[in-house]
Amino acid sequence: MKPILGNSSIVHLDCSGCGKQYSHLELHTFCPDCQSPLLPAYDIKKVRQQVDRDQILTRPKGMWRWWEVLPVLDPANKVFLGEGDTPLLMLPNVNRELGMTNVYVKDESSNPTGSFKARGLSMAVSKAKELGIEKVIIPTAGNAGGAMAAYAARAGIQAHIFMPKDTPYANIEESRMAGAQVVLVDGLISDAAVMAGEKARAEGWFDLSTFKEPYRVEGKKTMGYELAEAFGWELPDVIIYPTGGGTGLVGMWKAFAEQEELGWLKNKKRPRMVSVQASGCAPVVKAFEAGAMFCDFWTNAHTLASGLRVPKSFADHIILKDIYESNGTAIAIDDQDILLAQKQLARLEGIFAAPEGAATYAALKQLFTSGWIQRDERVVLFNTGSGLKYLSVH
Ligand SMILES: *Cc1c(COP(=O)(O)O)cnc(C)c1O
Ligand SMILES: [Zn+2]
């Protein structure tokens, strides 16, 4: 029988700040010289010669179909719960309602643990397993903790989770259910991150914080491969993405660059990337409007969209660079408009989106009204999680 999976073509890790290279065969976090995220680099030339892009469609479903451009070396280390290959759905009723023609949703709520965090944590936990890690720790706004707990359980790795005490109940319970040790923090994810960082150093546990290890972004990157494939290897015109730590936005932009180098795209047209945040926590929007390359820390962050309650991403300079490069934009949405959009999406299309995902619909309405998006442009909204995870207990 022919092996289902080929080989990873990873060659090293690049520092996104100073360009210094690191070995992918050793355990790394972020660049100790300049405190920037490390991003995996691949032998794209080799993949271009050896891999037929259309053949990847015939492989078993899931994000691991893109094996050659993913970082795990030994297939035995892959921790798979069915993540990836989520539906790209046309939204006929939204289109009719707005007078548009080409609005889609990439519905990530069907991933294991009900959010797209599954992609990133599947990849990070798999790679941690490959590098011999036995204990992992994460500060989380909610869904990342639940996903890490699930993949760690599957991998036989011990999980420690620090989350704000107002994290949705489902996230707390799913983490505990999977055997993770959960610490509820009186504060924001930034406070949880400080505590988790101290604990990681003291105990020698491996920290899977957003962009503080190099591999979560590679799982999120697969959304960009699935989109290109679904659109027949042309990219959509606009991608509207709810941005907290920014792994999905950065990951997809990286995927598009790789695809161009692979020669897989029919033309060089890239999507305009739209970063959506909540008005109560909009550091990327503020920096974008000022034309800045870094974000200021957002004080008193508050929004019901817990995944967007990130006062400053560790990858802020990459997020901003990608938005500028794409001729994109950034937009803040009020919580009441998020709730309205959530109801409208459910009633129009039967999709009960997470508040973060619903925010992209609110953003679409504003950007179409202002003329930033044209009637016939192909627009993809990212519903990053299921609304079911945010129901409170009565
Ligand atoms: C984490 C999260 C986000 C933000 O994703 P980033 O990649 O960190 O920007 C958006 N929506 C949901 C449901 C999330 O859990
Ligand atoms: Zn560096």
Side-chain angles (χ1 to χ4, degrees):
M1 212 172 79
K2 265 172 50 181
I4 295 167
L5 297 169
N7 294 316
S8 168
S9 71
I10 187 170
V11 285
H12 60 257
L13 306 171
D14 281 322
C15 173
S16 60
C18 68
K20 192 172 167 189
Q21 291 185 1
Y22 295 86
S23 169
H24 63 284
L25 301 172
E26 301 157 359
L27 195 62
H28 287 289
T29 53
F30 48 88
C31 180
D33 291 357
C34 76
Q35 315 288 307
S36 300
L38 302 179
L39 300 173
Y42 299 86
D43 185 349
I44 296 286
K45 257 201 212 92
K46 188 177 87 185
V47 180
R48 186 177 179 143
Q49 287 162 2
Q50 297 181 352
V51 181
D52 169 8
R53 98 192 156 191
D54 297 322
Q55 194 262 322
I56 295 176
L57 193 56
T58 67
R59 296 177 182 180
K61 286 281 166 208
M63 75 170 190
W64 295 91
R65 286 196 289 130
W66 310 98
W67 191 254
E68 288 88 350
V69 288
L70 298 178
V72 174
L73 302 176
D74 182 352
N77 292 321
K78 182 185 71 162
V79 187
F80 179 63
L81 290 172
E83 58 285 348
D85 277 326
T86 54
L88 177 73
L89 303 169
M90 171 63 100
L91 296 177
N93 301 324
V94 161
N95 278 309
R96 190 170 346 97
E97 180 84 7
L98 300 182
M100 296 184 72
T101 59
N102 271 310
V103 179
Y104 300 79
V105 67
K106 179 77 169 155
D107 193 359
E108 290 289 307
S109 65
S110 61
N111 276 303
T113 68
S115 90
F116 75 154
K117 289 294 194 301
R119 294 182 191 258
L121 272 307
S122 167
M123 194 60 65
V125 169
S126 298
K127 197 65 193 173
K129 184 179 166 194
E130 182 154 272
L131 292 165
I133 294 296
E134 289 172 355
K135 293 174 185 176
V136 289
I137 182 168
I138 200 167
T140 173
N143 284 323
M148 189 188 84
Y151 287 95
R154 178 85 166 193
I157 291 174
Q158 201 184 92
H160 297 268
I161 299 173
F162 284 68
M163 42 172 84
K165 67 175 185 337
D166 59 353
T167 298
Y169 180 72
N171 295 132
I172 300 171
E173 203 47 39
E174 68 179 339
S175 301
R176 288 186 173 143
M177 187 62 76
Q181 190 209 57
V182 176
V183 177
L184 296 178
V185 176
D186 191 9
L188 292 167
I189 185 171
S190 41
D191 303 302
V194 172
M195 290 178 68
E198 282 165 6
K199 196 74 182 164
R201 275 187 298 280
E203 304 283 350
W205 299 340
F206 191 61
D207 186 352
L208 295 184
S209 298
T210 306
F211 283 113
K212 291 192 175 162
E213 62 77 52
Y215 301 111
R216 278 174 65 180
V217 65
E218 296 299 292
K220 292 275 185 83
K221 180 179 85 175
T222 58
M223 299 189 297
Y225 279 91
E226 289 172 23
L227 272 189
E229 185 183 68
F231 282 102
W233 298 100
E234 281 176 35
L235 299 173
D237 299 300
V238 177
I239 290 177
I240 309 189
Y241 180 81
T243 308
T247 41
L249 191 147
V250 170
M252 284 192 278
W253 197 249
K254 184 172 188 283
F256 301 149
E258 290 172 0
Q259 289 159 15
E260 211 170 283
E261 219 189 317
L262 284 161
W264 288 3
L265 296 174
K266 288 186 180 155
N267 57 53
K268 285 194 182 287
K269 265 196 85 206
R270 295 264 191 102
R272 311 201 297 286
M273 305 297 283
V274 178
S275 178
V276 181
Q277 300 201 297
S279 304
C281 182
V284 171
V285 179
K286 186 170 168 235
F288 175 81
E289 285 171 355
M293 293 309 295
F294 292 89
C295 296
D296 291 330
F297 186 92
W298 189 278
T299 46
N300 297 321
H302 61 90
T303 166
L304 64 101
S306 48
L308 305 184
R309 228 182 276 143
V310 180
K312 178 175 163 69
S313 168
F314 192 63
D316 54 349
H317 71 286
I318 315 179
I319 298 169
L320 287 160
K321 177 180 72 62
D322 292 353
I323 297 172
Y324 295 133
E325 228 174 88
S326 79
N327 293 311
T329 191
I331 181 167
I333 307 292
D334 293 339
D335 275 11
Q336 74 242 40
D337 292 332
I338 290 179
L339 288 172
L340 178 65
Q342 191 181 37
K343 192 178 275 182
Q344 289 171 331
L345 259 187
R347 296 193 177 186
L348 285 169
E349 305 285 6
I351 295 170
F352 185 16
E356 298 87 343
T360 66
Y361 178 47
L364 169 69
K365 289 188 285 179
Q366 291 193 21
L367 293 169
F368 181 57
T369 305
S370 74
W372 195 87
I373 293 177
Q374 307 297 309
R375 177 178 176 274
D376 297 321
E377 287 191 300
R378 288 163 308 169
V379 180
V380 176
L381 310 180
F382 265 86
N383 176 31
T384 45
S386 167
L388 292 172
K389 294 191 80 176
Y390 298 72
L391 300 176
S392 51
V393 184
H394 291 286

